[in-house]
Amino acid sequence: MARFDLTDEEWAIIAPLLPKQGRGPERKDDRRVLNGIFYVLRTGAPWRDLPERYGPRTTVYNRYIRWGERGVWQGIFEALAQECEDALVLIDASIVKAHRAAAGVKKGELEEGIGRSRGGRTSKVHAAVDAKGRPLRLAISGGQLHDSQMMDTFLNWDTPPLAIVADKAYGSGRIRQQIADEGALAVIPSKSNARQQIPHDANLYRQRNVVERFFCKMKDMRRLATRFEKKARNFLSMIQIFAIRCWAN
């Protein structure tokens, strides 16, 4: 087994969630294909440089693209995330620089979640994680977008959490009210220049480092430390594949 390949334990978790074999030619070895995708995710290698042990690179690449378009990666991730019964949700966002290979999308970079700021072309990954740092919800936007504008992504939980922890960027009155409407406690410090300082649970807020550690772990994946994908759908698929590995671990 190569360094980044799925262990037997991880494969036992993921295998039952894969799409069933449909009509047509028999699908190539799923485990080998997934190992090839994980290799690219971890090393950041171009698809053309995929080692031969993972089979034809076109097979691995096409599976990654087609399953992303069909929502397979999202479905697996959401199925695993449903196992979470944690009462604490931590949210944050992190900037990812877009490589020049991600530039030049026909319908416009902004529509594909690539923005321009002082740092050049960037995307922003938004995430909600549980108290163990396992991702619950994911989204991407242009790097110039303020974190708070993606808050709707992290509302409307089937089972509302007891508390939602976030930094000052989410400290507006509107967001606090949205969290209260969810039946959750907003653990968000007030900005220093706020007219009214709203108290927060300092002990719970210290746990915000959990979501920060999630992003550090995410950026150990070289394919996510820099964005290479032109299309937002493909970039989000790569993040979801990382999330699947987090849960399988």
Side-chain angles (χ1 to χ4, degrees):
M1 185 173 70
R3 182 180 173 193
F4 307 121
D5 290 357
L6 290 165
T7 64
D8 291 340
E9 293 77 12
E10 290 172 328
W11 177 243
I13 293 171
I14 295 174
L17 302 174
L18 297 180
K20 297 187 181 298
Q21 175 70 48
R23 296 181 179 179
E26 183 178 357
R27 211 161 62 206
K28 300 294 182 181
D29 187 342
D30 286 333
R31 186 170 180 176
R32 184 178 69 175
V33 169
L34 261 66
N35 284 337
I37 295 172
F38 285 126
Y39 176 87
V40 171
L41 170 67
R42 181 65 180 86
T43 65
W47 294 100
R48 289 180 178 274
D49 295 338
L50 192 68
E52 293 182 1
R53 65 176 176 270
Y54 298 117
R57 59 179 173 81
T58 52
T59 300
V60 180
Y61 175 76
N62 288 338
R63 187 81 57 86
Y64 153 67
I65 294 294
R66 290 169 183 169
W67 280 12
E69 292 173 345
R70 290 169 50 191
V72 172
W73 306 122
Q74 181 175 347
I76 296 173
F77 160 55
E78 290 178 348
L80 292 171
Q82 284 178 355
E83 299 298 320
C84 177
E85 298 179 351
D86 205 299
L88 189 65
V89 170
L90 306 103
I91 63 175
D92 205 353
S94 184
I95 291 284
V96 174
K97 189 169 181 62
H99 192 271
R100 62 182 179 84
V105 185
K106 290 183 179 179
K107 68 177 183 178
E109 293 177 358
L110 280 176
E111 293 186 38
E112 295 294 350
I114 299 176
R116 287 181 178 270
S117 58
R118 292 180 181 180
R121 291 186 179 91
T122 55
S123 291
K124 187 175 285 187
V125 179
H126 306 259
V129 306
D130 66 7
K132 295 180 181 178
R134 300 174 299 187
L136 301 172
R137 293 187 184 178
L138 298 163
I140 62 172
S141 71
Q144 84 290 346
L145 194 74
H146 195 273
D147 296 1
S148 62
Q149 293 187 44
M150 295 294 289
M151 187 61 197
D152 289 348
T153 304
F154 307 117
L155 297 171
N156 300 317
W157 300 88
D158 292 336
T159 303
L162 294 180
I164 294 179
V165 183
D167 63 18
K168 296 177 182 179
Y170 301 88
S172 70
R174 179 182 64 85
I175 288 178
R176 291 179 188 276
Q177 186 59 53
Q178 287 177 315
I179 294 174
D181 291 343
E182 287 274 301
L185 173 68
V187 183
I188 305 172
S190 298
K191 294 182 180 179
S192 58
N193 61 350
R195 292 183 180 180
Q196 180 182 5
Q197 294 292 313
I198 301 175
H200 64 281
D201 189 314
N203 290 325
L204 281 178
Y205 187 70
R206 289 191 190 98
Q207 295 192 48
R208 204 178 69 82
N209 70 87
V210 171
V211 67
E212 293 174 342
R213 293 203 306 270
F214 164 78
F215 284 118
C216 289
K217 185 177 178 182
M218 183 192 84
K219 290 184 179 181
D220 284 340
M221 307 296 111
R222 294 197 172 189
R223 197 78 183 191
L224 299 180
T226 302
R227 173 175 171 171
F228 292 93
E229 280 71 30
K230 289 180 182 290
K231 294 186 176 181
R233 172 69 267 167
N234 296 341
F235 183 51
L236 185 58
S237 290
M238 196 61 80
I239 300 170
Q240 290 166 344
I241 291 166
F242 165 68
I244 291 169
R245 195 69 182 263
C246 288
W247 279 96
N249 247 322

